[in-house]
């Protein structure tokens, strides 16, 4: 059952978090990590006030097909909110595909399937899968992470995807 008062409360909570993120930001281009369905509206709310922010969102639950999602009376608002993300992650390619098809069904946006990008209101969002590795806790050790890049070398992978500000041209 969908109730308007629940939707209003959801919007208010997302706005309170957006206000807190903007207040805490120490620059005009912070990196913000948004986690899960509790905050579907948050990326666009942050983007409105911090247009140069890098917003990385991850959706921890399966994304339904467009037909199933279509019963939600606030489907457009939810999808528009998520498209405030610079990068939007799901666990599987299948969920990415469902999200892209949902956007195609309910919004007027340019979708580049080959690159998994969506351009909505002149802003690009990369939609990508980030599966959880199938390691059991007993298999985790310091050696499990030995070949991974140190944090100091990881920033270069995010910065090129950073959303351009108004008037900026692609590199």
């Amino acid at each position: 059952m969908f109730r308007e008062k629940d939707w209003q409360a959801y919007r208010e909570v997302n706005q309170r978090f957006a206000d807190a993120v903007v207040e805490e930001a120490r620059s005009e281009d912070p990196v913000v990590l948004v986690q899960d369905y509790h905050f579907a509206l948050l990326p666009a709310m942050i983007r409105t006030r911090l247009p140069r922010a890098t917003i990385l969102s991850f959706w921890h639950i399966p994304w339904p097909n467009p037909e199933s999602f279509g019963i939600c009376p606030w489907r457009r608002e939810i999808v528009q909110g998520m498209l405030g993300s610079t990068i939007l992650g799901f666990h599987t390619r299948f969920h990415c595909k469902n999200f892209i098809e949902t956007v195609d069904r309910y919004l007027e946006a340019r979708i580049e399937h080959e690159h998994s990008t969506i351009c909505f209101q002149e802003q690009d969002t990369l939609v990508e899968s980030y599966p959880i590795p199938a390691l059991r806790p007993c298999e985790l050790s310091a050696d499990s992470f030995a070949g991974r890049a140190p944090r100091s070398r990881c920033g270069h992978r995010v910065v090129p995807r950073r959303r351009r500000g108004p008037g900026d041209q692609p590199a």
Side-chain angles (χ1 to χ4, degrees):
M1 173 163 54
F2 300 102
R3 297 185 303 205
E4 181 67 30
K5 70 177 186 169
D6 295 336
W7 174 245
Q8 291 306 320
Y10 183 83
R11 290 180 60 207
E12 290 170 14
V13 167
N14 273 252
Q15 188 60 60
R16 288 177 67 183
F17 272 85
D19 294 344
V21 168
V22 171
E23 186 177 317
E24 290 293 319
R26 299 293 180 247
S27 69
E28 292 182 14
D29 61 348
V31 175
V32 179
L33 179 60
V34 177
Q35 295 281 329
D36 224 349
Y37 61 91
H38 310 47
F39 299 116
L41 307 178
L42 188 57
M45 290 175 169
I46 295 169
R47 174 81 48 224
T48 299
R49 295 173 57 197
L50 294 170
R52 297 192 59 202
T54 298
I55 304 171
L56 311 170
S57 300
F58 192 82
W59 195 262
H60 288 272
I61 59 175
W63 188 267
N65 63 45
E67 294 79 19
S68 296
F69 190 72
I71 68 168
C72 178
W74 304 289
R75 61 188 168 267
R76 289 178 53 84
E77 292 90 338
I78 290 170
V79 173
Q80 287 173 352
M82 294 171 71
L83 289 175
S85 304
T86 309
I87 300 174
L88 176 57
F90 294 91
H91 284 292
T92 69
R93 288 297 317 149
F94 182 72
H95 299 143
C96 293
K97 182 178 174 286
N98 280 348
F99 180 79
I100 291 169
E101 288 176 358
T102 299
V103 171
D104 195 31
R105 171 85 50 96
Y106 298 111
L107 297 180
E108 188 171 324
R110 188 179 76 241
I111 298 171
E112 294 183 25
H113 293 276
E114 183 178 340
H115 300 290
S116 293
T117 57
I118 300 170
C119 183
F120 179 69
Q121 297 180 340
E122 299 183 23
Q123 297 290 324
D124 293 330
T125 299
L126 172 69
V127 180
E128 193 58 70
S129 64
Y130 299 96
I132 296 175
L135 289 176
R136 295 177 301 195
C138 62
E139 295 173 318
L140 293 175
S141 68
D143 294 337
S144 301
F145 302 98
R148 300 186 187 222
R151 195 187 303 172
S152 62
R153 289 196 353 232
C154 293
H156 78 280
R157 296 186 67 191
V158 173
V159 174
R161 296 185 191 274
R162 181 172 280 169
R163 196 173 304 270
R164 296 179 297 273
D168 290 350
Q169 296 299 313

